[in-house]
Amino acid sequence: MQLVFDGHNDVLLRLWKHAAAGIDPLREFGEGTTSGHIDAPRARAGGLGGGLCAIYIPSGDLVLKAPDANGHYLTPMAAPLERAPSLDIALDMAAIALRLDRAGLWRLCRSTADIREAMAAGTFAAVLHIEGCEAIDRDLAALETFHAAGLRSLGPVWSRHNIFGHGVPFAYPMSPDTGPGLTEAGFDLVRACDRLCIAIDLAHITEQGFWDVARTSDKPLIVSHSNAHALTPVARNLTDRQMDAVRESAGVVGLNYATTMLRPDGAENANTPLELMVAHIRYMVERMGVDCVALGSDYDGATIPAPIGDAAGQQALVDALAADGFSEDDLAKLCRENWLRVLARAWHEAG
C-alpha cells in the first residue's frame, strides 16, 4: 500500500454542515460514517494518510447549469460574499479542525516533519487551507490570526470574484482565460503569504491570475486540484503553457478526481473509469515530469469515479497507476513525496 498525502479535500465543509444539524463532528470523523468521502476509519482503510483540508464558504446562490444538447454548459458566476458572515463560517470550520486535533483524531500539521510524524503514527495529517479568501480583510489582520491557528495554505479565490481577484466559472468547453487576475489587494495578499510562508494555491483562479501570482511570488507554483485542459477542456483545467510554468518553478499539480474534470465530455457521471484518471496523470507527467504531479482528490467536494467511491478506495487508483507502468519510486512521488517537497519549499524549511 502506498501512503497518500492528498492536495485537497472538503471534509471540514461536510463536518460543519452536519454539525449545524446536530451531528457531533468528532464522532462523525473518529468513528466513521456512510456520508461523504473521508473519515478516520475510511482514510486508514485506503491509505489516505492526510491532506490539505479546506475552509470553504459555500455560495448559496450557485446552481450548476445543466448541459445542453451538445453537452456544453456555462454556470453563471456565484455572487461575491460578504466578509462578516464568511469570517464566522471560517472560524467555525477552524474550530472543528482544532477540536479534532485536541481530541487526537487527526493532527493539525504546521511542517512537513509534523506530516511525516503523524502519518508514521497512523494519525491523519491535516494541513489547514483556505479556499477563497472571503474571510480575510483588506488589511490582512485575519490572515495573521489564521496563520497563528495553523493556516499553511490558501487559494486567493474560489470560482467567484472577491476583493483579491477573479475566479473561473464552471464551464465546458472553455479556456481558463476568462477575465482579470489579481487586484491590488490580491498582490498584497500574495506578498504577505510569501512573508508568512503560506503556500499559494492557483486551482480556481483565472489564467491571468495564475500569471500574476507567477510573476509576484518566489514560491513554487501550486495547483492543488486541477487536470489537463488538453484532455478535458473545462475552465478549471490547466493549459500546456500553465503546466510548463509549474515545471519551471519546480511546483506541483494535484490530480482532481471530479468526473467533470476527467471525462472528455465534461460530464458529472460517477460511471467514470480509472483509465481516464491515469490518462490525465500520464499527460501531466509527460508535460511536467513525474516530480511535478501529485494527487488532489476533491473528496467531499465533488462527484468522483465509482471505482474509487471514497477514501477507503484510494488504493484502486494507485493500483491502476502501477498497472500502467509507474514504478514504486514514481508512485511514492505521486502519492506523497512531491507534495512534501513542494510544501517544504513553500514553508521555507531547511533542506
Side-chain angles (χ1 to χ4, degrees):
M1 178 183 288
Q2 283 284 351
L3 202 59
V4 170
F5 183 85
D6 181 57
H8 186 83
N9 70 70
D10 287 293
V11 67
L12 286 173
L13 174 65
R14 191 193 82 220
L15 294 174
W16 172 77
K17 286 181 175 179
H18 290 183
I23 300 172
D24 180 7
L26 274 63
R27 176 171 294 180
E28 178 172 339
F29 186 84
E31 297 181 6
T33 178
T34 58
S35 175
H37 296 140
I38 297 178
D39 52 45
R42 286 183 288 180
R44 284 193 295 270
L48 181 64
L52 274 73
C53 299
I55 291 174
Y56 160 72
I57 315 304
S59 282
D61 65 331
L62 180 67
V63 178
L64 294 177
K65 187 77 171 177
D68 64 19
N70 296 315
H72 298 178
Y73 57 86
L74 172 57
T75 298
M77 294 290 288
L81 300 180
E82 296 181 13
R83 187 194 169 230
S86 298
L87 178 59
D88 287 344
I89 293 171
L91 289 172
D92 285 348
M93 291 189 192
I96 291 172
L98 290 164
R99 288 175 61 201
L100 288 166
D101 182 70
R102 285 196 300 270
L105 296 173
W106 73 14
R107 180 170 177 183
L108 196 56
C109 298
R110 294 168 170 82
S111 68
T112 57
D114 287 350
I115 295 171
R116 291 191 186 278
E117 289 169 7
M119 292 196 299
T123 302
F124 190 88
V127 173
L128 199 60
H129 169 83
I130 287 180
E131 184 179 28
C133 289
E134 285 80 6
I136 306 297
D137 50 304
R138 175 62 179 88
D139 66 8
L140 305 179
L143 180 68
E144 301 275 357
T145 303
F146 278 110
H147 178 261
L151 180 72
R152 291 297 180 270
S153 174
L154 64 76
V157 299
W158 184 67
S159 286
R160 62 187 168 226
H161 309 323
N162 62 27
I163 64 170
F164 300 109
H166 297 80
V168 294
F170 294 100
Y172 170 88
M174 182 173 281
S175 161
D177 187 14
T178 61
L182 294 177
T183 64
E184 181 180 349
F187 284 106
D188 290 342
L189 174 66
V190 169
R191 286 187 283 265
C193 287
D194 279 1
R195 174 176 56 83
L196 291 169
C197 298
I198 297 172
I200 302 165
D201 178 20
L202 304 175
H204 281 271
I205 204 164
T206 61
E207 185 172 1
Q208 181 58 54
F210 176 99
W211 297 118
D212 287 344
V213 173
R215 66 186 173 85
T216 304
S217 175
D218 62 0
K219 304 290 183 64
L221 297 177
I222 294 172
V223 190
S224 67
H225 56 303
S226 293
N227 300 334
H229 192 272
L231 300 184
T232 304
V234 296
R236 281 270 287 102
N237 281 343
L238 297 176
T239 66
D240 288 355
R241 183 167 170 251
Q242 287 175 297
M243 286 190 281
D244 292 345
V246 172
R247 182 193 68 239
E248 290 165 8
S249 76
V252 73
V253 178
L255 176 79
N256 193 321
Y257 300 5
T259 64
T260 55
M261 298 176 66
L262 290 167
R263 297 172 59 93
D265 61 5
E268 185 175 10
N269 183 351
N271 186 25
T272 294
L274 295 175
E275 288 77 9
L276 292 181
M277 304 179 80
V278 174
H280 276 272
I281 290 279
R282 273 289 176 198
Y283 187 95
M284 292 192 290
V285 166
E286 289 173 3
R287 190 81 198 185
M288 296 183 288
V290 73
D291 291 336
C292 294
V293 184
L295 304 178
S297 68
D298 214 354
Y299 282 139
D300 282 311
T303 298
I304 67 170
I308 293 178
D310 57 27
Q314 177 62 58
Q315 294 299 310
L317 174 58
V318 178
D319 293 343
L321 291 168
D324 196 63
F326 285 97
S327 69
E328 287 298 308
D329 286 346
D330 290 341
L331 292 173
K333 291 180 178 181
L334 295 170
C335 289
R336 62 185 178 277
E337 296 302 327
N338 288 341
W339 268 119
L340 295 176
R341 173 187 59 80
V342 169
L343 290 175
R345 280 193 59 203
W347 297 341
H348 286 185
E349 295 179 357

